[in-house]
Amino acid sequence: MVQKQKESLIGYEDWYEQFVKNIAPKPLMRWTVKSRNRIVKESDLELLSEAKVRWVANWVTKGERRFTFPPRMSSREMLSAIFSDPGNPRMGVVTLSRRWVDKALPDYELLHATREVFIELSRLLHAGHIAAGVNTCDLDKREPICVTSEISVQPLSCMDINSSIRQEHLDLEGGFGIQEVMHQVERDEQQVEKANERYGKFSFTASGPIEAAPQLLKSAHMVLKKDKHHMPMMWSYREGKLVDMISPNFSDQNGKYLTFHRLADRVETLRADGIVLVIEAWWAPDIKRDPQGIIIPPRQRKDRQEIIHVAAATRDGERLSLITPFTRGGAGEIIFGDTISGPDEEMGVLGPFIPIFERWKQMDARDER
C-alpha cells in the first residue's frame, strides 16, 4: 500500500529505502514475505502445536524441553502425560506453555513473530509520518483500546507474547496448581498526596536503572522506617525510559522461583533493556556450603541478616547492587547499618536475576540470527 502511494509521500525514496535496508538481513522479515506469498498463492502455514515445559528446582538447577502434542489436547492432559514417567522430577515448580509454531520459523511462537513484524511496519509508518511532519494518525477509536492514533515504534501493551492464558503452573512437592493473578492499579493523585504525607516527598530524577538505584534505595529507607516492611518492587526500562512498575508477590520459595521466571517473560514482552529490583530479604556476607557442596541459602543460616536490597542491571552488562543491613529495636524501630555497594556477582545475592539475565542472552542470540 505504501509503494502504491509513493508519488504523494514526502521523502519516500529516503525513508523507504532505509526501511528496506534495515529489514533485508532479518530472517524474520524474509519469512514474513515468503509466508504472505505462500498463504495467498499456495497454501496455509505448516503449523506445529508445541508445549514448552520449564522445570525449576532452584535458581541454578532447572531444565527446559519441548514436546509436540495434538492441537486439541488440554494442558492438564499434557502434564499428566509428561509426568507419568516416574523418572521425572518431583520437586520444584513446573510451567507448561502452549505454542503455535510454523515449521519454517522454529525460534518464534506465531504471536511473537507477528508482534515483531508489526513493530517493523510501525517503524516504517513512523518514518513516513516524521518526514511529513505529522505526529499522529487520523484514526478513529479502535478495539482493543491499546491501538491508538499515536505512531509508536514500541510493542503495544496488549501484545503479550508470554500470556498467562497459555500457561499452567504446578508445584511438584505440594501437588497443586499455582494460579497467576494480576491486579492493575491506576495512579490516584489523592493517594499520592497521602503517601507524601506519610513518608515525605521524594524526588526521582534518574534516566536509567543504574542511576535510579541510589534514589530508590533512599525511597525504600523512607518506606521501611515508617511501615517496618517493604513489599517487592520491580521497575523496567526501555531506552532510558520507565515502561513498567510491578510489585511481585509470592507465598513460598517455589512461588518465588515461578514469579521471577514470569518477570523474565515480562521483560521479554516489554522489550525491557534495564531493570531495578527493590526487595526486603535475608543476607549473609559470605558463601557457605553443606556437606554435598550445595550453597546454603541465607534464609537457612543462623548468622543471617535482614537487608533492604536495591539491585539494578542492564541488558548490555551494567550491574549495581546496594545493600543496607538493618536491625529492629526494642520498640520495633528500624535501625539501618552502613550501605554496601558493589556488583551483584560479588555479593551472593544474584539468584532472582538469573532468569532475566538468561532471557536477555536468548534475546541477543535470536536478534543475531
Side-chain angles (χ1 to χ4, degrees):
M1 291 178 67
V2 171
Q3 288 175 334
K4 287 180 180 179
Q5 300 179 52
K6 63 182 181 181
E7 298 300 330
S8 61
L9 298 176
I10 299 172
Y12 168 84
E13 297 295 339
D14 294 329
W15 52 263
Y16 192 81
E17 284 184 11
Q18 185 62 46
F19 167 74
V20 173
K21 182 180 178 180
N22 289 340
I23 67 167
K26 296 184 178 182
L28 176 60
M29 299 306 290
R30 293 199 296 271
W31 169 85
T32 304
V33 175
K34 291 179 181 178
S35 298
R36 182 262 179 194
N37 293 336
R38 191 184 350 162
I39 291 170
V40 172
K41 301 174 182 178
E42 301 172 22
S43 62
D44 204 346
L45 302 178
E46 193 171 353
L47 295 181
L48 297 175
S49 173
E50 283 190 351
K52 183 174 72 173
V53 178
R54 180 177 63 220
W55 166 70
V56 180
N58 53 51
W59 298 123
V60 178
T61 307
K62 52 186 176 292
E64 190 170 288
R65 293 181 63 189
R66 292 182 181 179
F67 300 85
T68 302
F69 288 103
R72 297 189 181 277
M73 193 172 186
S74 73
S75 297
R76 293 184 183 278
E77 290 172 327
M78 290 182 186
L79 282 170
S80 178
I82 292 167
F83 286 95
S84 61
D85 183 350
N88 278 321
R90 292 291 182 268
M91 60 177 289
V93 61
V94 67
T95 294
L96 183 143
S97 305
R98 302 296 296 265
R99 307 174 78 245
W100 284 100
V101 180
D102 179 20
K103 280 187 176 181
L105 193 74
D107 288 342
Y108 286 87
E109 205 277 337
L110 279 181
L111 290 176
H112 188 180
T114 51
R115 186 191 78 154
E116 298 306 305
V117 173
F118 180 92
I119 292 170
E120 293 293 350
L121 295 178
S122 295
R123 293 184 193 279
L124 172 65
L125 295 179
H126 181 264
H129 280 72
I130 294 300
V134 178
N135 295 321
T136 59
C137 263
D138 185 16
L139 281 178
D140 295 330
K141 193 174 183 179
R142 291 291 197 273
E143 291 290 343
I145 58 174
C146 69
V147 180
T148 69
S149 59
E150 180 185 358
I151 306 298
S152 175
V153 297
Q154 302 296 347
L156 298 178
S157 59
C158 52
M159 286 183 156
D160 187 352
I161 59 174
N162 294 298
S163 172
S164 61
I165 297 172
R166 294 186 288 111
Q167 299 194 6
E168 293 273 354
H169 312 291
L170 180 66
D171 185 308
L172 295 178
E173 291 140 285
F176 54 81
I178 301 176
Q179 185 180 7
E180 187 176 340
V181 180
M182 180 175 289
H183 299 285
Q184 186 169 344
V185 179
E186 298 292 339
R187 181 180 174 88
D188 184 329
E189 294 302 329
Q190 290 184 339
Q191 293 298 325
V192 172
E193 284 302 317
K194 287 184 178 180
N196 289 337
E197 291 175 7
R198 179 170 178 81
Y199 305 111
K201 289 189 177 182
F202 174 71
S203 177
F204 186 77
T205 59
S207 59
I210 303 301
E211 297 83 4
Q215 295 183 6
L216 290 173
L217 179 65
K218 181 180 178 181
S219 170
H221 283 194
M222 294 161 64
V223 172
L224 187 59
K225 195 165 187 176
K226 194 70 176 180
D227 293 347
K228 309 300 184 288
H229 66 88
H230 196 294
M231 63 183 181
M233 295 290 296
M234 191 176 93
W235 289 260
S236 296
Y237 288 80
R238 183 175 59 227
E239 298 176 0
K241 295 182 179 179
L242 183 64
V243 293
D244 187 59
M245 181 172 64
I246 189 170
S247 175
N249 288 281
F250 35 86
S251 58
D252 55 26
Q253 194 62 28
N254 278 343
K256 186 176 183 179
Y257 296 143
L258 172 60
T259 296
F260 279 91
H261 277 86
R262 290 295 285 138
L263 288 176
D265 288 343
R266 192 172 181 85
V267 162
E268 182 180 30
T269 292
L270 293 166
R271 281 189 164 191
D273 54 25
I275 51 173
V276 184
L277 174 70
V278 178
I279 193 167
E280 188 181 338
W282 293 111
W283 177 70
D286 56 4
I287 294 176
K288 291 185 179 179
R289 300 177 184 271
D290 65 14
Q292 287 74 42
I294 299 173
I295 294 176
I296 303 172
R299 66 179 182 277
Q300 296 177 4
R301 289 173 52 170
K302 292 182 179 180
D303 60 345
R304 66 187 184 182
Q305 293 178 266
E306 278 191 282
I307 61 168
I308 187 70
H309 182 205
V310 178
T314 66
R315 185 174 172 177
D316 61 8
E318 288 187 277
R319 307 282 186 264
L320 178 62
S321 179
L322 301 172
I323 289 177
T324 304
F326 65 88
T327 56
R328 300 178 188 271
E333 71 275 15
I334 301 296
I335 304 169
F336 292 110
D338 294 333
T339 296
I340 306 166
S341 174
D344 241 7
E345 292 89 336
E346 298 176 1
M347 309 186 77
V349 288
L350 185 60
F353 272 110
I354 290 176
I356 296 173
F357 292 166
E358 291 177 343
R359 188 63 54 88
W360 275 336
K361 288 180 181 179
Q362 293 170 9
M363 293 164 65
D364 288 340
R366 190 167 56 222
D367 289 348
E368 290 175 0
R369 291 196 295 268

